[in-house]
Amino acid sequence: MTVSRPQVLSAATVDALPEAPATVTTALAELEVWWSRRVDLAGLGSEWKNLATAVDAVAPQELDFGPVSSGLPHDSYALGSLYVNRLPTAERADYGKHYTPRDLADRLWRMGRNALGFGEVPRRLHGLVRDPAVGAGSLLVPVVREHLEASSEIDPEFVLASLPQFVEGLDTDPRAVYLANVVLASEMLPTLARVPESRRRPLPSLARVCNSLEEELAPALLWIMNPPYGRQKLSPKMRNRYSGSLYGQANLYALFIACALSGLGEDGAVAVLVPTSFASGSSFRKLRGQLAESAPLRSITFMKRRSGVFAGVLQETCLAVFTPKRSECVEVTRLSPEAEFVAIVPSPRTSHPWVMPRDSIDAAIAAGATQMQLNLGMAGWKASTGPLVWNRRKENLHAGSSKTRAHVVWAADIDGGRLHRDPRRDLHRYVALRDSADELTLTLSEPAILVQRTTSPEQCRRLVAVELDRRTLNRLGNRVVVENHLNVLLPTVEHPMLSRSLLARLLATRTFDRLLRCISGSVAVSAYELEALPLPSIEELEAWEHLLAEELEEAVLTAYVK
């Protein structure tokens, strides 16, 4: 479970949580029934069925445990999912609460333990594993399971007593923290059963209520998390604390990664389940630079599906592991649904968008692009978003032209890589310019390259571009207005390193389409990502100027896969 967009990012978050409604109270009350079954499965006596005395954790005061229906899941993961699914829709939406599926929890732990060099057989922990946004505890379940399995030959009383030294969960939601403590305690029951009756003690709590971003935390061997996500306005104190990783508006999951970096030992690792936007988004450039410097990417697993991972969430997600130990390469895999090897690529060492293949067919292109020092922005081109937000100017859109109206270029007008007039936009083909400010801010009167900002999943190309040359501009009235579902590429110098014509043809190649997919797994194409497209040397660019279509395709592919 993650908590996104909390209303107050401070210790007051705990007090701001809504009281548990009847549906939540009922769901949590079922813990007694669920716990009783787990006690029976472990072969313990009925005295351990009372949660109040069996687990060293205090239930939130508003909970009233009572008789409930049967049909509860036996599995720890399923119980956490049950709790989240029974939360009111409004609370789930406002706080972004989701439960990490079992397959992702297991996969992230495997990636984290591999980074720590644990090997193939179960191994006892030798340092602290911390989840700073623990929710209902799913990410710590496989951690506790392996540690207890590997400790089967050790005094069980000592194993249980020492467990809080090795596993820690933190969260601002007291109900979730209590649930996490019960879930994790249930994993300890078989170990407790091996302790002589006279020496059995209440099972230790491994989670506590805490705002991880504000508290000074001791270093941990492994930080493992599915952190909150969503933009957040920070207090001056918080912004100053995380200034080294912030660029523009803060996103919560970036803060949690930065928090982990500040409390990471030389032999440690950070394992996170996050949106892939951290690897390419403009607002994460300082975080990427910080990661590249202090804890480079070691392995990454992309989720093949953007939907279905979390209820109501549509975005590309990945599991990523970072370590302070220098590694020259990154292992790239994807889940679909089983883990599939994709490639081994150079570890990114820059704050620019990282080039990571999502498919094995792009591995060579990604590896070649990573070695290139030049990008489109450096080569003298700047991308910006089309200025016309049509639904803010509805009253100014018309079907017919006039002296005070300018031709509107819509994203649908460049489908197929050529500029045409989509008939579905003809009722809004012209926009009335109200004053000189409109003329200055809305119109484009010089040749440019137009690139669709978003594509549909069924389109065969992600990168759809067209050249808007002088002849076309003249035909359209010497000026146009570009709507905001298009990016506009314009030169920043009189003589850029590659001409407008060559750039348009490069963007139309199959190699550049695959290259963009290695930078962004989203159907959106941002201006920032366009400017970051890696380019070969100036000499190679000059040699491409007069190549014909297929000759250019071959030359570009050769440059990126050599």
Coordinates of all heavy atoms in Angstrom, one line a residue, residues 384 386 407-425 429 444 448-456 459-469 472 475-476 480-489 504 507-508 525 530:
S384 N 9.3 23.0 -27.7 CA 8.4 23.6 -26.8 C 7.0 23.1 -27.1 O 6.8 22.5 -28.2 CB 8.4 25.1 -26.9 OG 8.1 25.5 -28.2
G386 N 3.0 23.3 -28.1 CA 2.2 24.2 -28.9 C 1.4 25.1 -27.9 O 0.8 24.6 -26.9
H407 N -4.7 30.0 -39.2 CA -4.9 28.5 -39.4 C -4.3 27.7 -38.2 O -3.2 28.0 -37.7 CB -4.1 28.1 -40.7 CG -4.3 26.7 -41.0 ND1 -5.2 26.2 -42.0 CD2 -3.7 25.6 -40.5 CE1 -5.1 24.9 -42.1 NE2 -4.2 24.5 -41.2
V408 N -5.1 26.8 -37.7 CA -4.7 26.0 -36.5 C -4.2 24.6 -37.0 O -4.9 24.0 -37.8 CB -5.9 25.8 -35.5 CG1 -5.4 24.8 -34.4 CG2 -6.4 27.1 -35.0
V409 N -3.0 24.2 -36.6 CA -2.5 22.9 -36.9 C -2.8 22.0 -35.7 O -2.3 22.3 -34.5 CB -1.0 23.0 -37.2 CG1 -0.5 21.5 -37.5 CG2 -0.7 23.9 -38.3
W410 N -3.5 21.0 -35.9 CA -3.9 20.0 -34.8 C -3.0 18.8 -34.9 O -2.4 18.5 -35.9 CB -5.4 19.6 -35.0 CG -6.3 20.7 -34.9 CD1 -6.8 21.5 -35.8 CD2 -7.0 21.1 -33.7 NE1 -7.7 22.5 -35.4 CE2 -7.9 22.2 -34.0 CE3 -7.0 20.7 -32.4 CZ2 -8.7 22.9 -33.1 CZ3 -7.9 21.3 -31.4 CH2 -8.7 22.4 -31.8
A411 N -2.9 18.1 -33.8 CA -2.1 16.8 -33.7 C -2.6 15.8 -34.8 O -1.8 15.1 -35.4 CB -2.2 16.2 -32.4
A412 N -3.9 15.8 -35.0 CA -4.5 14.9 -36.0 C -4.1 15.2 -37.4 O -4.2 14.4 -38.3 CB -6.0 14.9 -35.9
D413 N -3.6 16.4 -37.6 CA -3.2 16.9 -39.0 C -1.8 16.3 -39.4 O -1.4 16.5 -40.6 CB -3.1 18.4 -39.0 CG -4.5 19.1 -38.9 OD1 -5.5 18.4 -39.2 OD2 -4.5 20.2 -38.5
I414 N -1.1 15.7 -38.5 CA 0.2 15.1 -38.9 C 0.3 13.6 -38.8 O 1.4 13.0 -38.8 CB 1.4 15.8 -38.1 CG1 1.4 15.4 -36.7 CG2 1.3 17.3 -38.2 CD1 2.7 15.8 -36.0
D415 N -0.9 13.0 -38.6 CA -0.9 11.5 -38.6 C -0.2 11.0 -39.9 O -0.5 11.5 -41.0 CB -2.3 11.0 -38.5 CG -2.8 11.0 -37.1 OD1 -2.0 11.2 -36.2 OD2 -4.1 10.9 -36.9
G416 N 0.6 10.0 -39.8 CA 1.2 9.4 -40.9 C 2.5 10.1 -41.3 O 3.1 9.8 -42.4
G417 N 2.9 11.1 -40.6 CA 4.1 11.8 -40.9 C 4.1 12.8 -42.0 O 5.1 13.2 -42.6
R418 N 2.9 13.2 -42.3 CA 2.7 14.3 -43.4 C 1.7 15.3 -42.9 O 0.8 14.9 -42.2 CB 2.3 13.7 -44.7 CG 1.0 13.0 -44.7 CD 0.6 12.4 -46.1 NE -0.7 11.8 -46.0 CZ -1.8 12.5 -46.2 NH1 -1.8 13.8 -46.5 NH2 -3.0 11.9 -46.2
L419 N 1.9 16.5 -43.3 CA 0.9 17.6 -42.9 C -0.3 17.6 -43.8 O -0.1 17.7 -45.0 CB 1.6 18.9 -42.9 CG 0.8 20.1 -42.4 CD1 0.4 19.9 -40.9 CD2 1.6 21.4 -42.5
H420 N -1.4 17.4 -43.2 CA -2.7 17.4 -44.0 C -3.8 18.1 -43.2 O -3.5 18.6 -42.1 CB -3.1 16.0 -44.4 CG -3.4 15.1 -43.2 ND1 -2.4 14.5 -42.4 CD2 -4.6 14.7 -42.7 CE1 -2.9 13.8 -41.5 NE2 -4.2 13.9 -41.6
R421 N -5.0 18.0 -43.7 CA -6.1 18.7 -43.0 C -7.1 17.7 -42.6 O -7.9 17.2 -43.4 CB -6.7 19.7 -44.0 CG -7.8 20.6 -43.4 CD -8.0 21.8 -44.3 NE -9.2 22.5 -43.8 CZ -9.4 23.8 -44.2 NH1 -8.5 24.4 -45.0 NH2 -10.5 24.4 -43.8
D422 N -7.0 17.3 -41.3 CA -8.0 16.3 -40.8 C -9.4 16.9 -40.8 O -9.6 17.9 -40.1 CB -7.6 15.9 -39.4 CG -8.3 14.7 -38.9 OD1 -9.6 14.8 -38.8 OD2 -7.7 13.6 -38.6
P423 N -10.3 16.3 -41.5 CA -11.7 16.8 -41.6 C -12.4 16.9 -40.3 O -13.3 17.7 -40.1 CB -12.4 15.8 -42.6 CG -11.6 14.6 -42.5 CD -10.2 15.0 -42.3
R424 N -12.0 16.1 -39.3 CA -12.6 16.1 -38.0 C -12.4 17.4 -37.2 O -13.0 17.7 -36.2 CB -12.2 14.9 -37.1 CG -12.6 13.6 -37.7 CD -12.0 12.4 -37.0 NE -10.5 12.5 -37.1 CZ -9.6 11.6 -36.6 NH1 -10.1 10.7 -35.8 NH2 -8.4 11.7 -36.8
R425 N -11.4 18.2 -37.7 CA -11.0 19.4 -37.0 C -11.5 20.6 -37.8 O -11.2 21.8 -37.4 CB -9.5 19.5 -36.8 CG -8.9 18.4 -35.9 CD -9.4 18.5 -34.5 NE -8.8 17.5 -33.6 CZ -9.4 16.3 -33.4 NH1 -10.5 16.0 -33.9 NH2 -8.8 15.4 -32.6
R429 N -11.0 25.1 -37.4 CA -9.8 25.1 -38.2 C -9.1 26.5 -38.0 O -7.8 26.5 -38.2 CB -10.2 24.9 -39.7 CG -9.0 25.0 -40.6 CD -7.9 24.1 -40.3 NE -8.3 22.7 -40.2 CZ -7.6 21.7 -39.8 NH1 -6.3 22.0 -39.3 NH2 -8.0 20.4 -39.7
L444 N 3.0 31.1 -35.1 CA 4.3 30.6 -35.5 C 4.5 31.0 -37.0 O 3.7 30.6 -37.9 CB 4.4 29.1 -35.4 CG 5.6 28.4 -36.0 CD1 6.9 28.7 -35.2 CD2 5.4 26.8 -36.0
A448 N 9.5 25.1 -39.0 CA 9.7 24.4 -37.8 C 9.5 22.9 -38.1 O 9.1 22.5 -39.2 CB 8.8 24.8 -36.7
I449 N 9.6 22.1 -37.0 CA 9.3 20.7 -37.1 C 8.2 20.4 -36.0 O 8.4 20.9 -34.8 CB 10.5 19.8 -36.8 CG1 11.5 19.9 -38.0 CG2 10.1 18.3 -36.7 CD1 12.8 19.2 -37.8
L450 N 7.1 19.8 -36.4 CA 6.1 19.5 -35.4 C 6.1 18.0 -35.1 O 6.2 17.2 -35.9 CB 4.7 19.9 -36.0 CG 4.6 21.3 -36.6 CD1 3.2 21.5 -37.2 CD2 4.9 22.3 -35.5
V451 N 5.9 17.7 -33.8 CA 6.0 16.4 -33.3 C 4.8 16.1 -32.4 O 4.5 16.9 -31.5 CB 7.3 16.1 -32.4 CG1 7.3 14.6 -32.0 CG2 8.5 16.5 -33.3
Q452 N 4.0 15.1 -32.6 CA 2.9 14.7 -31.7 C 3.4 14.5 -30.3 O 4.4 13.8 -30.0 CB 2.2 13.5 -32.2 CG 1.3 13.7 -33.4 CD 0.4 12.5 -33.7 OE1 0.7 11.4 -33.2 NE2 -0.6 12.7 -34.6
R453 N 2.6 15.1 -29.3 CA 3.0 15.0 -27.9 C 2.5 13.7 -27.3 O 3.0 13.3 -26.3 CB 2.4 16.2 -27.1 CG 3.2 17.5 -27.3 CD 2.6 18.5 -26.3 NE 2.7 18.1 -25.0 CZ 1.8 18.4 -24.0 NH1 0.8 19.1 -24.3 NH2 2.0 18.0 -22.8
T454 N 1.5 13.1 -27.9 CA 0.9 11.8 -27.4 C 0.5 11.0 -28.5 O 0.0 11.5 -29.6 CB -0.2 12.1 -26.4 OG1 -0.6 10.8 -25.8 CG2 -1.4 12.7 -27.0
T455 N 0.6 9.7 -28.4 CA 0.1 8.8 -29.4 C -0.7 7.7 -28.7 O -0.6 7.5 -27.5 CB 1.3 8.1 -30.1 OG1 2.2 7.4 -29.1 CG2 2.1 9.1 -30.9
S456 N -1.5 7.0 -29.5 CA -2.4 6.0 -28.9 C -1.6 4.7 -28.9 O -0.7 4.5 -29.8 CB -3.7 5.8 -29.7 OG -3.4 5.5 -31.1
Q459 N -1.0 2.8 -32.2 CA -0.2 3.4 -33.3 C 1.1 2.6 -33.4 O 1.7 2.3 -32.4 CB 0.1 4.9 -33.1 CG -1.1 5.8 -33.4 CD -0.8 7.2 -33.2 OE1 -1.4 7.9 -32.4 NE2 0.1 7.7 -34.0
C460 N 1.6 2.4 -34.7 CA 2.8 1.7 -34.8 C 4.0 2.5 -34.5 O 5.1 1.9 -34.2 CB 2.9 1.1 -36.3 SG 2.9 2.4 -37.5
R461 N 3.9 3.8 -34.5 CA 5.0 4.7 -34.2 C 4.7 5.5 -32.9 O 3.6 6.0 -32.7 CB 5.4 5.6 -35.3 CG 6.1 5.0 -36.5 CD 6.5 6.1 -37.5 NE 7.5 7.0 -36.9 CZ 8.8 6.8 -36.9 NH1 9.3 5.7 -37.5 NH2 9.6 7.7 -36.4
R462 N 5.8 5.7 -32.1 CA 5.7 6.6 -31.0 C 6.1 8.0 -31.4 O 5.6 9.0 -30.8 CB 6.6 6.1 -29.9 CG 6.5 6.8 -28.6 CD 5.3 6.6 -27.8 NE 5.0 5.2 -27.6 CZ 5.6 4.4 -26.7 NH1 6.5 4.9 -25.9 NH2 5.2 3.2 -26.6
L463 N 7.0 8.1 -32.3 CA 7.6 9.4 -32.7 C 7.0 9.7 -34.1 O 7.3 9.1 -35.1 CB 9.1 9.3 -32.8 CG 9.9 10.5 -33.0 CD1 9.6 11.6 -32.0 CD2 11.4 10.2 -33.0
V464 N 6.0 10.7 -34.1 CA 5.4 11.1 -35.3 C 5.7 12.6 -35.5 O 5.3 13.5 -34.7 CB 3.8 10.9 -35.2 CG1 3.1 11.4 -36.5 CG2 3.5 9.5 -34.9
A465 N 6.4 12.9 -36.6 CA 6.9 14.2 -36.8 C 6.7 14.6 -38.3 O 6.6 13.8 -39.2 CB 8.4 14.3 -36.5
V466 N 6.7 16.0 -38.5 CA 6.5 16.5 -39.9 C 7.3 17.8 -40.0 O 7.3 18.6 -39.0 CB 5.0 16.6 -40.3 CG1 4.4 17.7 -39.5 CG2 4.9 16.9 -41.8
E467 N 7.8 18.1 -41.1 CA 8.5 19.4 -41.3 C 7.5 20.4 -41.8 O 6.7 20.2 -42.7 CB 9.6 19.2 -42.4 CG 10.3 20.5 -42.6 CD 11.4 20.4 -43.7 OE1 11.5 19.3 -44.3 OE2 12.1 21.4 -43.9
L468 N 7.4 21.5 -41.2 CA 6.6 22.7 -41.6 C 7.6 23.7 -42.3 O 8.3 24.5 -41.6 CB 6.0 23.3 -40.4 CG 5.1 24.6 -40.6 CD1 3.9 24.2 -41.5 CD2 4.7 25.2 -39.3
D469 N 7.7 23.6 -43.6 CA 8.6 24.4 -44.4 C 8.0 25.7 -44.8 O 6.8 26.0 -44.6 CB 9.1 23.7 -45.6 CG 8.0 23.2 -46.5 OD1 6.9 23.8 -46.5 OD2 8.3 22.2 -47.3
T472 N 5.0 25.7 -47.2 CA 3.7 25.3 -46.5 C 3.2 26.5 -45.7 O 2.0 26.8 -45.7 CB 3.9 24.1 -45.6 OG1 4.4 23.0 -46.5 CG2 2.6 23.6 -45.0
R475 N 1.5 29.0 -47.8 CA 0.2 28.5 -48.3 C -0.9 28.6 -47.2 O -2.1 28.8 -47.5 CB 0.3 27.0 -48.7 CG -1.0 26.4 -49.2 CD -0.7 25.0 -49.8 NE 0.0 24.1 -48.9 CZ -0.5 23.4 -48.0 NH1 -1.8 23.5 -47.8 NH2 0.2 22.6 -47.2
L476 N -0.4 28.5 -46.0 CA -1.4 28.6 -44.9 C -1.6 30.0 -44.3 O -2.1 30.2 -43.2 CB -1.0 27.7 -43.7 CG -0.9 26.2 -44.1 CD1 -0.4 25.3 -43.0 CD2 -2.3 25.7 -44.5
V480 N 0.8 30.2 -38.6 CA -0.1 29.2 -38.1 C -0.1 29.2 -36.5 O 0.7 29.9 -35.9 CB 0.3 27.7 -38.5 CG1 0.2 27.5 -40.0 CG2 1.7 27.3 -37.9
V481 N -1.1 28.6 -36.0 CA -1.2 28.4 -34.5 C -1.2 26.9 -34.2 O -2.0 26.2 -34.8 CB -2.5 29.1 -33.9 CG1 -2.6 28.7 -32.5 CG2 -2.4 30.6 -34.1
V482 N -0.2 26.5 -33.4 CA -0.1 25.1 -33.1 C -0.7 24.8 -31.8 O -0.5 25.5 -30.7 CB 1.4 24.8 -33.0 CG1 1.6 23.3 -32.7 CG2 2.1 25.1 -34.3
E483 N -1.6 23.8 -31.8 CA -2.3 23.4 -30.5 C -1.4 22.6 -29.6 O -0.4 22.1 -30.1 CB -3.6 22.7 -30.8 CG -3.5 21.4 -31.5 CD -3.8 20.2 -30.5 OE1 -4.1 20.5 -29.4 OE2 -3.8 19.1 -31.0
N484 N -1.8 22.5 -28.4 CA -0.9 22.0 -27.4 C -0.7 20.5 -27.3 O -0.1 20.0 -26.4 CB -1.2 22.5 -26.0 CG -2.4 21.8 -25.4 OD1 -3.3 21.4 -26.1 ND2 -2.4 21.7 -24.1
H485 N -1.3 19.7 -28.3 CA -1.0 18.3 -28.4 C 0.2 18.1 -29.4 O 0.4 16.9 -29.8 CB -2.2 17.5 -28.7 CG -3.2 17.4 -27.6 ND1 -4.2 18.3 -27.4 CD2 -3.3 16.5 -26.6 CE1 -4.9 18.0 -26.3 NE2 -4.4 16.9 -25.8
L486 N 0.8 19.2 -29.7 CA 2.0 19.1 -30.6 C 3.2 19.8 -29.9 O 3.0 20.8 -29.2 CB 1.7 19.8 -31.9 CG 0.8 19.0 -32.9 CD1 0.4 20.0 -34.0 CD2 1.5 17.8 -33.5
N487 N 4.4 19.2 -30.2 CA 5.6 19.9 -29.8 C 6.2 20.6 -31.0 O 6.0 20.2 -32.1 CB 6.7 18.9 -29.3 CG 6.4 18.4 -27.9 OD1 6.1 19.1 -27.0 ND2 6.4 17.0 -27.8
V488 N 6.8 21.8 -30.8 CA 7.4 22.6 -31.8 C 8.9 22.6 -31.7 O 9.4 23.0 -30.6 CB 6.8 24.0 -31.8 CG1 7.4 24.8 -33.0 CG2 5.3 24.0 -31.9
L489 N 9.6 22.1 -32.7 CA 11.1 22.2 -32.7 C 11.6 23.3 -33.5 O 11.3 23.4 -34.7 CB 11.7 20.9 -33.2 CG 11.7 19.7 -32.2 CD1 12.0 18.4 -33.0 CD2 12.8 19.9 -31.2
A504 N 14.0 16.4 -39.5 CA 12.7 15.8 -39.8 C 12.9 14.4 -40.3 O 12.1 13.5 -39.9 CB 12.0 16.6 -40.8
L507 N 13.9 12.0 -37.4 CA 12.8 11.6 -36.5 C 11.9 10.6 -37.2 O 11.1 9.9 -36.5 CB 12.0 12.9 -36.1 CG 12.8 13.9 -35.3 CD1 12.0 15.2 -35.0 CD2 13.4 13.3 -34.0
A508 N 11.9 10.5 -38.5 CA 11.0 9.6 -39.2 C 11.6 8.2 -39.3 O 10.9 7.3 -39.8 CB 10.7 10.2 -40.6
V525 N 5.1 12.3 -25.4 CA 6.4 12.7 -25.9 C 6.7 14.1 -25.4 O 6.1 15.0 -26.0 CB 6.5 12.6 -27.4 CG1 7.9 13.0 -27.9 CG2 6.2 11.2 -27.9
L530 N 12.5 15.1 -26.1 CA 13.0 15.4 -27.5 C 14.3 16.0 -27.5 O 15.2 15.6 -28.2 CB 12.0 16.3 -28.2 CG 10.7 15.6 -28.7 CD1 9.8 16.6 -29.3 CD2 11.0 14.5 -29.8

